[in-house]
Amino acid sequence: ETGVTQSPTHLIKTRGQQVTLRCSSQSGHNTVSWYQQALGQGPQFIFQYYREEENGRGNFPPRFSGLQFPNYSSELNVNALELDDSALYLCASSQGQGTLYEQYFGPGTRLTVT
Amino acid sequence: AQSVAQPEDQVNVAEGNPLTVKCTYSVSGNPYLFWYVQYPNRGLQFLLKYITGDNLVKGSYGFEAEFNKSQTSFHLKKPSALVSDSALYFCAVRDSRYSSASKIIFGSGTRLSIRP
């Protein structure tokens, strides 16, 4: 098990609602990345936060936003939920920015939008 | 544009036999290549990476991968499969020209099933 935790484990929301997912990074890690993994697909990079600043973003609309706090924990916020947002959302922490640093993944939050 | 392909949705191997999970990639610059494993209801777990140097990379749990630049491949291998190796395996690639993590691309995954 990694030291990365995510909450909640599962979540059911209605289309149009807003959701906040949370991630606590592993001790000593200052970088958090978020991924969306649709059923039967590989993870897709949403964005990364390094020392509280966004540091790279994938091909996701602005209704996907995030925060990183001084203790390096992070939130992923999704506004105006759509059915296609149903997925497993993974958080990964690392000691530095960029993928050359090994990423430690949390167990994920499974979001279902109805 | 970057891309990565895992041509097999599922690989079935008998315990004790060697296993190979295939991955091919496409990048414009030099590739950084990764393998991850995902167990049910768990996040991804890092297995190994190729950045530069020796084409044969050794990783966790006895896995290794061979970087082949001419064939643009990075196949995952293990000499003797265990039932506990049964899981979903993902290959990922990033173009070394980009420093941001935003450019990492994952394959669609290969489900490895090891029968006793």
Side-chain angles (χ1 to χ4, degrees):
Chain A
E1 296 286 346
T2 71
V4 181
T5 61
Q6 292 186 244
S7 63
T9 306
H10 296 88
L11 201 54
I12 300 174
K13 288 287 190 177
T14 303
R15 188 172 48 185
Q17 286 187 316
Q18 178 265 343
V19 69
T20 297
L21 309 182
R22 295 179 175 82
C23 171
S24 291
S25 58
Q26 184 157 314
S27 177
H29 289 186
N30 57 20
T31 304
V32 173
S33 302
W34 285 93
Y35 295 83
Q36 180 194 67
Q37 186 179 12
L39 198 61
Q41 300 295 319
Q44 281 194 294
F45 179 82
I46 303 175
F47 44 57
Q48 182 184 75
Y49 278 83
Y50 171 66
R51 293 184 175 179
E52 302 179 59
E53 297 288 332
E54 186 177 294
N55 173 47
R57 188 179 183 93
N59 189 26
F60 280 82
R63 60 189 184 84
F64 285 78
S65 63
L67 281 173
Q68 188 178 31
F69 300 99
N71 67 354
Y72 303 130
S73 65
S74 177
E75 286 183 354
L76 164 65
N77 299 290
V78 187
N79 293 322
L81 283 167
E82 300 177 0
L83 296 179
D84 285 348
D85 295 334
S86 296
L88 180 68
Y89 287 85
L90 296 168
C91 159
S93 74
S94 56
Q95 287 182 307
Q97 57 183 315
T99 51
L100 293 187
Y101 289 92
E102 183 178 334
Q103 295 190 56
Y104 293 80
F105 283 82
T109 293
R110 184 160 299 281
L111 173 65
T112 302
V113 182
T114 61
Chain B
Q2 298 181 137
S3 67
V4 59
Q6 293 181 243
E8 300 156 317
D9 289 337
Q10 177 141 352
V11 170
N12 300 306
V13 177
E15 187 175 28
N17 283 1
L19 69 87
T20 299
V21 183
K22 296 180 181 177
C23 172
T24 59
Y25 66 90
S26 175
V27 297
S28 298
N30 292 319
Y32 293 155
L33 294 153
F34 308 82
W35 275 102
Y36 288 85
V37 59
Q38 186 174 34
Y39 297 99
N41 301 315
R42 304 274 288 277
L44 274 67
Q45 188 172 335
F46 172 82
L47 280 179
L48 51 80
K49 66 183 177 186
Y50 171 82
I51 303 300
T52 187
D54 194 347
N55 289 344
L56 185 64
V57 179
K58 294 189 182 297
S60 306
Y61 311 117
F63 284 95
E64 58 188 27
E66 186 168 12
F67 170 62
N68 188 317
K69 187 172 184 177
S70 63
Q71 297 186 5
T72 62
S73 67
F74 189 57
H75 300 332
L76 182 69
K77 300 181 180 184
K78 187 173 182 180
S80 178
L82 299 172
V83 172
S84 58
D85 293 330
S86 298
L88 190 56
Y89 290 80
F90 290 98
C91 180
V93 66
R94 183 166 73 81
D95 192 323
S96 62
R97 297 177 302 168
Y98 302 111
S99 60
S100 168
S102 64
K103 299 298 183 182
I104 187 169
I105 304 294
F106 281 85
S108 56
T110 297
R111 187 164 299 282
L112 179 62
S113 178
I114 309 299
R115 59 184 183 276

